[in-house]
Amino acid sequence: MTPESPFREAVAVWARIGVLSFGGPTAQIALMHRVLVEEKRWLDEERFMGALSFCMLLPGPEAMQLATYAGWRLHGLKGGLAAGLLFVLPGAIVMLALALIYAAFGTLPVLEALFFGIKAAVLVIVVEALIRVARRALKLPEHWVIAGLAFIGIFVLALPFPLIILAAGLFGFWRALGTLPVDQPAHAPLVPIAQTLRTIAVGLVIWIVPLAGIALVFGRDHVLTQLGLFFSKLAVVTFGGAYAVLAYMAQDVVEHYGWLTPGQMLDGLGLAETTPGPLILVTEFVGALAAWQHGGGPPMLMALLGALVALWATFAPCFLWIFAGAPYIERITAEPRLKSALQAITAAVVGVILNLALWFALRVFFARLKPLSWGPLQLDMPIAASLDWPAVAIALVSAVLLLRLHWSIGAVLAVAAALGAGVRLLLQ
């Protein structure tokens, strides 16, 4: 059973996680595991990993959805809302401020210097997360094979993430064929279908009605309406977490809609990588800049509305997916074939996380990469002459502090930011 926890204490924990949730989904999931499973013991290992596997199957940011599920598991609807909102709000506030500053003044050297050091520390946080998740997910030799094949598929062959997850799930399901079902756990009561349908109906109304109101006020062709439609579509079709969303989004935002320039899109991605909260908060940056530049009204007001529309269309569906599906997670993990499928998916996720860690390392340590294609192989090869030695040094310091001395994530990020600012000041 889940240990009892006062709601006020849980809110404080969710706020702490939201403020410290740097480093993308990998680091955020590791942070939640450390707090929820190891420190507070509010969730056990099996329930946490089962929920993680389930969230990886959903469209949208898996770390935010995992936090929402954990909050729901502890305190029901109010717990899920508190956990999900507090996971998003600190980063959303920071991103909104940075987007408005960026729109008004462009890039700021001070922020760039601080983010330079933070990026190097974030890489170490991702590596620590990879180690933690791998230790718990790779229980059988076949799990190691699945993780390795997933890494090769996504890093070398550039296979779509949903295809990798589907293949792993089917393999896991096949491996458990013929296994007898176990008794359903007493703490996973059957949820009436009517209740689930009501949850879906209410969630759809909450998601769609405000965006329809925007369309009625501003018209179908206005950028705010188009932002709502675009990000709502992404919320439904982008399986595979934040990086999958970014891959879909960047090209359309720049080439199809022309809302941002390539340089602005890259700056937005950089800000999202180095601020707390889900990486998908880059949608808030896109919404703010698109509305600032193409809203046709007072730029500050348009940017605020654009950011709110992007946030609503991105995250309202996430609460819908979790509140509709959460009651079934433990029943799914109690069925041997589905449990085996989820374990295989979790093993594949380890390979995907390794890909993300390597992808991030190449871009932190090297200023230039060279695309290499050979048949089905697709690789980004670093150019040795562009190696950023200060970034390597800051990453090594961060690794000692985090992995050897076991400093807190907040303290490591603060030291890395100070080192980054100092290095940039000396190099000027």
Side-chain angles (χ1 to χ4, degrees), residues 29 52-53 56 62 130 133 146-147 150 161 164-165 168 344-355:
I29 291 167
L52 173 59
S53 298
M56 292 300 299
E62 66 275 17
L130 173 64
V133 174
I146 292 171
F161 178 85
I164 292 172
I165 293 301
I345 289 170
T346 305
V349 167
V350 173
V352 174
I353 292 173
L354 175 59
N355 164 72

PDB file of all heavy atoms in Angstrom, residues 29 52-53 56 62 130 133 146-147 150 161 164-165 168 344-355:
ATOM      1  N   ILE A  29      12.929  12.365 -14.151  1.00  0.00           N
ATOM      2  CA  ILE A  29      12.451  11.064 -13.692  1.00  0.00           C
ATOM      3  C   ILE A  29      13.359  10.529 -12.589  1.00  0.00           C
ATOM      4  O   ILE A  29      12.886   9.971 -11.588  1.00  0.00           O
ATOM      5  CB  ILE A  29      12.362  10.085 -14.873  1.00  0.00           C
ATOM      6  CG1 ILE A  29      11.219  10.507 -15.813  1.00  0.00           C
ATOM      7  CG2 ILE A  29      12.152   8.649 -14.384  1.00  0.00           C
ATOM      8  CD1 ILE A  29      11.234   9.799 -17.153  1.00  0.00           C
ATOM      9  N   LEU A  52       5.862   4.594 -15.027  1.00  0.00           N
ATOM     10  CA  LEU A  52       6.764   5.190 -16.011  1.00  0.00           C
ATOM     11  C   LEU A  52       6.570   4.551 -17.381  1.00  0.00           C
ATOM     12  O   LEU A  52       6.496   5.247 -18.401  1.00  0.00           O
ATOM     13  CB  LEU A  52       8.214   5.018 -15.547  1.00  0.00           C
ATOM     14  CG  LEU A  52       9.300   5.446 -16.547  1.00  0.00           C
ATOM     15  CD1 LEU A  52       9.147   6.917 -16.915  1.00  0.00           C
ATOM     16  CD2 LEU A  52      10.692   5.172 -15.974  1.00  0.00           C
ATOM     17  N   SER A  53       6.483   3.234 -17.422  1.00  0.00           N
ATOM     18  CA  SER A  53       6.272   2.554 -18.699  1.00  0.00           C
ATOM     19  C   SER A  53       4.954   2.986 -19.333  1.00  0.00           C
ATOM     20  O   SER A  53       4.877   3.198 -20.545  1.00  0.00           O
ATOM     21  CB  SER A  53       6.290   1.037 -18.485  1.00  0.00           C
ATOM     22  OG  SER A  53       7.538   0.617 -17.985  1.00  0.00           O
ATOM     23  N   MET A  56       5.273   6.442 -20.798  1.00  0.00           N
ATOM     24  CA  MET A  56       6.067   6.455 -22.015  1.00  0.00           C
ATOM     25  C   MET A  56       5.221   6.090 -23.237  1.00  0.00           C
ATOM     26  O   MET A  56       5.583   6.410 -24.374  1.00  0.00           O
ATOM     27  CB  MET A  56       7.238   5.485 -21.907  1.00  0.00           C
ATOM     28  CG  MET A  56       8.305   5.883 -20.901  1.00  0.00           C
ATOM     29  SD  MET A  56       9.082   7.480 -21.244  1.00  0.00           S
ATOM     30  CE  MET A  56       9.809   7.170 -22.841  1.00  0.00           C
ATOM     31  N   GLU A  62       6.476  12.777 -20.686  1.00  0.00           N
ATOM     32  CA  GLU A  62       6.284  11.662 -19.780  1.00  0.00           C
ATOM     33  C   GLU A  62       6.607  12.001 -18.336  1.00  0.00           C
ATOM     34  O   GLU A  62       5.974  11.478 -17.407  1.00  0.00           O
ATOM     35  CB  GLU A  62       7.107  10.447 -20.230  1.00  0.00           C
ATOM     36  CG  GLU A  62       8.613  10.620 -20.157  1.00  0.00           C
ATOM     37  CD  GLU A  62       9.200  11.281 -21.383  1.00  0.00           C
ATOM     38  OE1 GLU A  62       8.456  11.893 -22.169  1.00  0.00           O
ATOM     39  OE2 GLU A  62      10.422  11.186 -21.563  1.00  0.00           O
ATOM     40  N   LEU A 130      20.582   7.981 -16.113  1.00  0.00           N
ATOM     41  CA  LEU A 130      20.729   6.778 -16.927  1.00  0.00           C
ATOM     42  C   LEU A 130      21.196   5.602 -16.076  1.00  0.00           C
ATOM     43  O   LEU A 130      20.671   4.493 -16.172  1.00  0.00           O
ATOM     44  CB  LEU A 130      21.715   7.048 -18.060  1.00  0.00           C
ATOM     45  CG  LEU A 130      22.120   5.836 -18.908  1.00  0.00           C
ATOM     46  CD1 LEU A 130      20.918   5.281 -19.657  1.00  0.00           C
ATOM     47  CD2 LEU A 130      23.227   6.223 -19.883  1.00  0.00           C
ATOM     48  N   VAL A 133      18.265   4.460 -13.648  1.00  0.00           N
ATOM     49  CA  VAL A 133      17.171   3.763 -14.326  1.00  0.00           C
ATOM     50  C   VAL A 133      17.637   2.411 -14.847  1.00  0.00           C
ATOM     51  O   VAL A 133      16.915   1.409 -14.754  1.00  0.00           O
ATOM     52  CB  VAL A 133      16.612   4.635 -15.465  1.00  0.00           C
ATOM     53  CG1 VAL A 133      15.568   3.862 -16.271  1.00  0.00           C
ATOM     54  CG2 VAL A 133      15.992   5.912 -14.912  1.00  0.00           C
ATOM     55  N   ILE A 146      17.509  -5.791 -25.365  1.00  0.00           N
ATOM     56  CA  ILE A 146      16.489  -4.853 -25.840  1.00  0.00           C
ATOM     57  C   ILE A 146      17.011  -3.424 -25.760  1.00  0.00           C
ATOM     58  O   ILE A 146      16.838  -2.632 -26.697  1.00  0.00           O
ATOM     59  CB  ILE A 146      15.202  -5.006 -25.009  1.00  0.00           C
ATOM     60  CG1 ILE A 146      14.547  -6.362 -25.274  1.00  0.00           C
ATOM     61  CG2 ILE A 146      14.211  -3.878 -25.326  1.00  0.00           C
ATOM     62  CD1 ILE A 146      13.401  -6.677 -24.337  1.00  0.00           C
ATOM     63  N   ALA A 147      17.655  -3.077 -24.638  1.00  0.00           N
ATOM     64  CA  ALA A 147      18.193  -1.722 -24.480  1.00  0.00           C
ATOM     65  C   ALA A 147      19.240  -1.422 -25.553  1.00  0.00           C
ATOM     66  O   ALA A 147      19.258  -0.334 -26.142  1.00  0.00           O
ATOM     67  CB  ALA A 147      18.791  -1.549 -23.088  1.00  0.00           C
ATOM     68  N   ALA A 150      17.534  -0.990 -28.911  1.00  0.00           N
ATOM     69  CA  ALA A 150      16.820   0.291 -28.949  1.00  0.00           C
ATOM     70  C   ALA A 150      17.790   1.440 -29.209  1.00  0.00           C
ATOM     71  O   ALA A 150      17.497   2.353 -29.995  1.00  0.00           O
ATOM     72  CB  ALA A 150      16.064   0.508 -27.641  1.00  0.00           C
ATOM     73  N   PHE A 161      10.810   6.697 -32.621  1.00  0.00           N
ATOM     74  CA  PHE A 161      10.664   6.217 -31.250  1.00  0.00           C
ATOM     75  C   PHE A 161       9.429   5.338 -31.064  1.00  0.00           C
ATOM     76  O   PHE A 161       9.515   4.276 -30.431  1.00  0.00           O
ATOM     77  CB  PHE A 161      10.612   7.413 -30.296  1.00  0.00           C
ATOM     78  CG  PHE A 161      10.426   7.037 -28.857  1.00  0.00           C
ATOM     79  CD1 PHE A 161      11.502   6.695 -28.068  1.00  0.00           C
ATOM     80  CD2 PHE A 161       9.165   7.024 -28.290  1.00  0.00           C
ATOM     81  CE1 PHE A 161      11.323   6.337 -26.736  1.00  0.00           C
ATOM     82  CE2 PHE A 161       8.978   6.677 -26.963  1.00  0.00           C
ATOM     83  CZ  PHE A 161      10.062   6.337 -26.192  1.00  0.00           C
ATOM     84  N   ILE A 164      10.095   1.776 -32.098  1.00  0.00           N
ATOM     85  CA  ILE A 164      10.957   1.049 -31.164  1.00  0.00           C
ATOM     86  C   ILE A 164      10.158   0.581 -29.958  1.00  0.00           C
ATOM     87  O   ILE A 164      10.271  -0.569 -29.515  1.00  0.00           O
ATOM     88  CB  ILE A 164      12.137   1.945 -30.734  1.00  0.00           C
ATOM     89  CG1 ILE A 164      13.070   2.192 -31.938  1.00  0.00           C
ATOM     90  CG2 ILE A 164      12.901   1.331 -29.568  1.00  0.00           C
ATOM     91  CD1 ILE A 164      14.145   3.203 -31.667  1.00  0.00           C
ATOM     92  N   ILE A 165       9.324   1.458 -29.420  1.00  0.00           N
ATOM     93  CA  ILE A 165       8.517   1.111 -28.256  1.00  0.00           C
ATOM     94  C   ILE A 165       7.514   0.012 -28.609  1.00  0.00           C
ATOM     95  O   ILE A 165       7.293  -0.940 -27.841  1.00  0.00           O
ATOM     96  CB  ILE A 165       7.799   2.358 -27.725  1.00  0.00           C
ATOM     97  CG1 ILE A 165       8.822   3.345 -27.151  1.00  0.00           C
ATOM     98  CG2 ILE A 165       6.769   1.989 -26.665  1.00  0.00           C
ATOM     99  CD1 ILE A 165       9.649   2.786 -26.021  1.00  0.00           C
ATOM    100  N   ALA A 168       9.360  -3.336 -28.873  1.00  0.00           N
ATOM    101  CA  ALA A 168       9.721  -3.853 -27.554  1.00  0.00           C
ATOM    102  C   ALA A 168       8.493  -4.394 -26.834  1.00  0.00           C
ATOM    103  O   ALA A 168       8.539  -5.467 -26.212  1.00  0.00           O
ATOM    104  CB  ALA A 168      10.377  -2.750 -26.728  1.00  0.00           C
ATOM    105  N   ALA A 344       9.626  -4.773 -21.034  1.00  0.00           N
ATOM    106  CA  ALA A 344      10.430  -4.673 -22.258  1.00  0.00           C
ATOM    107  C   ALA A 344      10.481  -3.231 -22.748  1.00  0.00           C
ATOM    108  O   ALA A 344      11.526  -2.759 -23.212  1.00  0.00           O
ATOM    109  CB  ALA A 344       9.842  -5.580 -23.342  1.00  0.00           C
ATOM    110  N   ILE A 345       9.360  -2.540 -22.638  1.00  0.00           N
ATOM    111  CA  ILE A 345       9.332  -1.128 -23.035  1.00  0.00           C
ATOM    112  C   ILE A 345      10.271  -0.315 -22.152  1.00  0.00           C
ATOM    113  O   ILE A 345      11.019   0.542 -22.647  1.00  0.00           O
ATOM    114  CB  ILE A 345       7.895  -0.586 -22.959  1.00  0.00           C
ATOM    115  CG1 ILE A 345       7.046  -1.192 -24.078  1.00  0.00           C
ATOM    116  CG2 ILE A 345       7.877   0.942 -23.048  1.00  0.00           C
ATOM    117  CD1 ILE A 345       5.567  -0.906 -23.944  1.00  0.00           C
ATOM    118  N   THR A 346      10.252  -0.579 -20.846  1.00  0.00           N
ATOM    119  CA  THR A 346      11.145   0.135 -19.935  1.00  0.00           C
ATOM    120  C   THR A 346      12.601  -0.128 -20.285  1.00  0.00           C
ATOM    121  O   THR A 346      13.444   0.779 -20.230  1.00  0.00           O
ATOM    122  CB  THR A 346      10.871  -0.284 -18.481  1.00  0.00           C
ATOM    123  OG1 THR A 346       9.484  -0.072 -18.184  1.00  0.00           O
ATOM    124  CG2 THR A 346      11.703   0.530 -17.515  1.00  0.00           C
ATOM    125  N   ALA A 347      12.929  -1.374 -20.654  1.00  0.00           N
ATOM    126  CA  ALA A 347      14.301  -1.687 -21.076  1.00  0.00           C
ATOM    127  C   ALA A 347      14.664  -0.909 -22.338  1.00  0.00           C
ATOM    128  O   ALA A 347      15.782  -0.392 -22.464  1.00  0.00           O
ATOM    129  CB  ALA A 347      14.439  -3.188 -21.316  1.00  0.00           C
ATOM    130  N   ALA A 348      13.727  -0.815 -23.281  1.00  0.00           N
ATOM    131  CA  ALA A 348      13.980  -0.043 -24.492  1.00  0.00           C
ATOM    132  C   ALA A 348      14.188   1.430 -24.164  1.00  0.00           C
ATOM    133  O   ALA A 348      15.015   2.112 -24.795  1.00  0.00           O
ATOM    134  CB  ALA A 348      12.819  -0.208 -25.473  1.00  0.00           C
ATOM    135  N   VAL A 349      13.468   1.923 -23.169  1.00  0.00           N
ATOM    136  CA  VAL A 349      13.616   3.321 -22.766  1.00  0.00           C
ATOM    137  C   VAL A 349      15.035   3.594 -22.283  1.00  0.00           C
ATOM    138  O   VAL A 349      15.572   4.693 -22.499  1.00  0.00           O
ATOM    139  CB  VAL A 349      12.569   3.673 -21.680  1.00  0.00           C
ATOM    140  CG1 VAL A 349      12.886   5.007 -21.024  1.00  0.00           C
ATOM    141  CG2 VAL A 349      11.176   3.704 -22.289  1.00  0.00           C
ATOM    142  N   VAL A 350      15.672   2.607 -21.648  1.00  0.00           N
ATOM    143  CA  VAL A 350      17.064   2.787 -21.224  1.00  0.00           C
ATOM    144  C   VAL A 350      17.950   3.069 -22.433  1.00  0.00           C
ATOM    145  O   VAL A 350      18.812   3.961 -22.402  1.00  0.00           O
ATOM    146  CB  VAL A 350      17.570   1.545 -20.464  1.00  0.00           C
ATOM    147  CG1 VAL A 350      19.063   1.668 -20.171  1.00  0.00           C
ATOM    148  CG2 VAL A 350      16.792   1.367 -19.169  1.00  0.00           C
ATOM    149  N   GLY A 351      17.735   2.324 -23.517  1.00  0.00           N
ATOM    150  CA  GLY A 351      18.500   2.586 -24.733  1.00  0.00           C
ATOM    151  C   GLY A 351      18.221   3.954 -25.307  1.00  0.00           C
ATOM    152  O   GLY A 351      19.128   4.642 -25.806  1.00  0.00           O
ATOM    153  N   VAL A 352      16.967   4.374 -25.221  1.00  0.00           N
ATOM    154  CA  VAL A 352      16.605   5.702 -25.716  1.00  0.00           C
ATOM    155  C   VAL A 352      17.251   6.789 -24.856  1.00  0.00           C
ATOM    156  O   VAL A 352      17.733   7.808 -25.364  1.00  0.00           O
ATOM    157  CB  VAL A 352      15.070   5.857 -25.735  1.00  0.00           C
ATOM    158  CG1 VAL A 352      14.676   7.276 -26.104  1.00  0.00           C
ATOM    159  CG2 VAL A 352      14.446   4.866 -26.711  1.00  0.00           C
ATOM    160  N   ILE A 353      17.278   6.572 -23.534  1.00  0.00           N
ATOM    161  CA  ILE A 353      17.916   7.545 -22.641  1.00  0.00           C
ATOM    162  C   ILE A 353      19.407   7.636 -22.939  1.00  0.00           C
ATOM    163  O   ILE A 353      19.994   8.727 -22.929  1.00  0.00           O
ATOM    164  CB  ILE A 353      17.677   7.152 -21.173  1.00  0.00           C
ATOM    165  CG1 ILE A 353      16.195   7.312 -20.823  1.00  0.00           C
ATOM    166  CG2 ILE A 353      18.520   8.014 -20.228  1.00  0.00           C
ATOM    167  CD1 ILE A 353      15.836   6.785 -19.450  1.00  0.00           C
ATOM    168  N   LEU A 354      20.048   6.491 -23.216  1.00  0.00           N
ATOM    169  CA  LEU A 354      21.460   6.515 -23.601  1.00  0.00           C
ATOM    170  C   LEU A 354      21.652   7.344 -24.861  1.00  0.00           C
ATOM    171  O   LEU A 354      22.611   8.125 -24.972  1.00  0.00           O
ATOM    172  CB  LEU A 354      21.959   5.090 -23.821  1.00  0.00           C
ATOM    173  CG  LEU A 354      23.393   4.949 -24.342  1.00  0.00           C
ATOM    174  CD1 LEU A 354      24.379   5.597 -23.392  1.00  0.00           C
ATOM    175  CD2 LEU A 354      23.732   3.478 -24.559  1.00  0.00           C
ATOM    176  N   ASN A 355      20.737   7.212 -25.808  1.00  0.00           N
ATOM    177  CA  ASN A 355      20.801   8.014 -27.014  1.00  0.00           C
ATOM    178  C   ASN A 355      20.702   9.503 -26.694  1.00  0.00           C
ATOM    179  O   ASN A 355      21.457  10.326 -27.221  1.00  0.00           O
ATOM    180  CB  ASN A 355      19.670   7.615 -27.964  1.00  0.00           C
ATOM    181  CG  ASN A 355      19.430   8.631 -29.056  1.00  0.00           C
ATOM    182  OD1 ASN A 355      20.213   8.778 -29.978  1.00  0.00           O
ATOM    183  ND2 ASN A 355      18.331   9.378 -28.938  1.00  0.00           N
TER     184      ASN A 355
END
